[in-house]
């Protein structure tokens, strides 16, 4: 039975994506790599027969040229930001959740069921839809934590595979009449989708078309990002979360319940992805119906937002705006003859441009430190206490009656006479060191060398 701690893959990815402060080197490298990414994007557009200048203009007109274009961009920002903030929470704890795409769908499924099955008047229905989406996706993500706890299943693998299971559940729900398939009107053909959610289950917007419109989902997403950023930076829970992500053994030794904290972080990540699914269901960004492809790759792009923001919730806000601009302007590229999938290529290049510099610089710094020669440390020899040895004649007691020194019966008689048996001071040699003392001194020297 595995102990729920820090998923090994997630911890390694977290360390590589957060190699430490890079200073001006990371800043300059990031600027250079972003320039290279934009240059490669322009080259790809030119190779496919398009004009880089015309494509850039179309991208700008579709995302930022008018208040209506900005409204469309901001509609995409809200779900992207929620998914990114959830990914920041799970990554901070050491778990690397990559199943946000499926969790978005599960959140939309739970919200659609509540909206279409409960006859609740007023805005209370919207509150229940949002809560159902949060709980449904949170439980869905928590299943991966349980699988790791009881069966040792890798969290990265389980969250990814459960995405495909979520897609099949959505397809089953919208194709089953007694579940969530749309109602038949006359003799029309039924489509694999649900009925539209009621009006009181939709998020309101501030402003009217063609002026700037701010949907309530954007306000909710920004508030969640700011609150979680403060919680992770200023509270004891956030400190424990960071401690668990950096060193689970030390956190466990300090009394932190590593398993419970990691599972909660993974559930929070899934819950925020489910809230993003609720926004897709209740905001004007979609048709307000549950559909198999309604996630629109929001889960994958939200994960990329977190990677570019380096798991910082506040930094995820401007990065989500950038990705929302790319999404809103991507539909205008078809008018210039450029395939719309090139927008995904541009996003991938930008992700590499932002993520690669700190990782590469961190690797080079560690290699440089490893290649530096170690400074030799001289360990002073431990002086061995020696007891001055007196001459043999001084050590032996003289017989006062005969005046002769006693002779060792085993050594025999000395032919040189009594004077030769008494060496002078220069002839005296210290006895050999005790083998036990020598072994002790050698062991002590070796231990001091290893500690040095």
């Amino acid at each position: 039975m595995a102990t729920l701690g820090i998923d090994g893959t997630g911890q390694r990815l977290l360390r590589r994506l957060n190699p430490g402060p890079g200073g001006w080197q990371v800043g300059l490298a990031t600027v250079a790599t972003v320039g290279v990414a934009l240059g490669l994007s322009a080259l790809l557009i030119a190779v496919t027969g398009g004009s880089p200048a015309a494509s850039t203009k179309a991208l700008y007109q579709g995302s930022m040229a008018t208040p209506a274009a900005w409204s469309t961009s901001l509609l995409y920002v809200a779900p992207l930001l929620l998914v990114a903030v959830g990914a920041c929470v799970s990554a901070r704890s050491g778990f690397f959740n990559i199943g946000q795409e499926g969790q978005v769908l599960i959140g939309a499924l739970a919200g659609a069921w509540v909206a279409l099955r409960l006859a609740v008047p007023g805005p209370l229905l919207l509150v229940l839809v949002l809560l159902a989406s949060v709980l449904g996706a949170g439980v869905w993500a928590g299943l991966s934590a349980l699988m790791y706890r009881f069966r040792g299943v890798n969290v990265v693998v389980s969250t990814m595979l459960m995405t495909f299971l979520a897609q099949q559940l959505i397809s089953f729900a919208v194709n089953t009449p007694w579940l969530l398939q749309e109602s038949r009107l006359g003799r029309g053909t039924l489509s694999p989708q649900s009925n539209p959610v009621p009006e009181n289950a939709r998020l309101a917007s501030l402003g009217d078309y063609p002026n700037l419109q701010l949907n309530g989902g954007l306000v909710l997403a920004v508030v969640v990002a700011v609150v979680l950023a403060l919680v992770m930076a200023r509270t004891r829970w956030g400190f424990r979360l960071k401690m668990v992500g950096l060193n689970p053994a030390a956190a466990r030794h300090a009394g932190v319940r590593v398993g419970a904290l990691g599972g909660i972080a993974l559930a929070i990540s899934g819950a925020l992805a489910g809230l993003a699914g609720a926004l897709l269901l209740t905001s004007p960004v979609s048709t307000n119906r549950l559909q198999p492809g309604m996630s629109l790759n929001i889960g994958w792009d939200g994960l990329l937002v977190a990677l570019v923001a380096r798991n910082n919730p506040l930094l995820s806000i401007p990065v989500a705006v950038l990705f929302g601009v790319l999404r809103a302007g991507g539909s205008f590229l078809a008018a210039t003859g450029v395939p719309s999938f090139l927008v995904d290529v541009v996003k991938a290049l930008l992700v590499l441009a932002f993520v690669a510099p700190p990782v590469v610089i961190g690797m080079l710094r560690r290699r440089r430190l490893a290649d530096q020669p170690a400074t030799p440390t001289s360990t002073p020899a431990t002086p061995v206490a020696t007891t001055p040895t007196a001459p043999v004649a001084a050590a032996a007691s003289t017989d006062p009656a005969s005046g002769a020194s006693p002779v060792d019966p085993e050594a025999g008689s000395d032919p040189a006479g009594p004077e030769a048996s008494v060496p002078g001071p220069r002839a005296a040699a210290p006895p050999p060191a005790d083998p036990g003392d020598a072994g002790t001194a050698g062991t002590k020297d070796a231990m001091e060398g290893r500690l040095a």
Side-chain angles (χ1 to χ4, degrees), residues 62-330:
S63 58
M64 296 181 291
T66 61
W70 267 111
S71 301
T72 305
S73 299
L74 294 178
L75 284 176
Y76 288 112
V77 170
L80 287 172
L81 181 58
L82 287 173
V83 174
V85 173
C88 293
V89 174
S90 61
R92 186 70 63 90
S93 69
F95 281 119
F96 202 72
N97 178 19
I98 64 172
Q100 287 89 349
E101 184 75 7
Q103 293 154 14
V104 167
L105 291 174
I106 293 298
L109 173 63
W113 191 91
V114 171
L116 298 175
R117 289 291 183 268
L118 298 182
V120 179
L124 179 59
L125 182 59
L126 175 61
V127 175
L128 293 178
V129 168
L130 297 180
L131 289 178
S133 300
V134 168
L135 292 176
V139 172
W140 185 262
L143 294 178
S144 296
L146 293 178
M147 285 189 288
Y148 182 70
R149 168 66 177 84
F150 292 104
R151 304 300 300 175
V153 180
N154 188 278
V155 173
V156 176
V157 175
S158 63
T159 53
M160 180 183 65
L161 294 180
M162 290 187 71
T163 299
F164 303 103
L165 180 58
Q167 293 172 350
Q168 297 301 319
L169 287 177
I170 296 296
S171 179
F172 174 77
V174 297
N175 284 282
T176 304
W178 57 267
L179 194 54
L180 286 176
Q181 190 178 25
E182 66 175 349
S183 303
R184 182 182 296 274
L185 298 177
R187 297 183 178 180
T189 304
L190 295 179
S191 300
Q193 61 183 7
S194 70
N195 292 328
V197 298
E199 291 290 339
N200 60 333
R202 301 181 187 180
L203 290 165
S205 299
L206 299 176
D208 297 323
Y209 183 84
N211 298 323
L212 181 65
Q213 292 179 299
L214 294 178
N215 189 258
L218 178 63
V219 179
L220 179 61
V222 173
V223 170
V224 169
V226 173
V227 170
L228 280 179
L230 293 177
V231 167
M232 288 193 292
R234 301 293 181 182
T235 65
R236 181 181 299 178
W237 184 83
F239 176 75
R240 291 180 175 179
L241 192 71
K242 185 177 181 179
M243 189 190 336
V244 168
L246 294 178
N247 196 328
R252 188 179 293 106
H253 182 72
V256 179
R257 299 180 61 185
V258 175
L261 194 62
I264 290 173
L266 188 60
I268 291 176
S269 176
L272 292 180
L275 185 58
L279 296 189
L280 293 178
L281 181 68
T282 60
S283 66
V285 73
S286 66
T287 60
N288 302 120
R289 296 172 181 264
L290 180 66
Q291 297 171 334
M294 67 174 301
S295 60
L296 303 173
N297 291 330
I298 290 292
W300 303 120
D301 286 353
L303 179 59
L304 296 181
V305 170
L307 291 178
V308 174
R310 297 171 190 171
N311 299 322
N312 188 330
L314 292 181
L315 188 58
S316 298
I317 298 177
V319 178
V321 173
L322 172 62
F323 275 70
V325 166
L326 291 175
R327 271 185 166 270

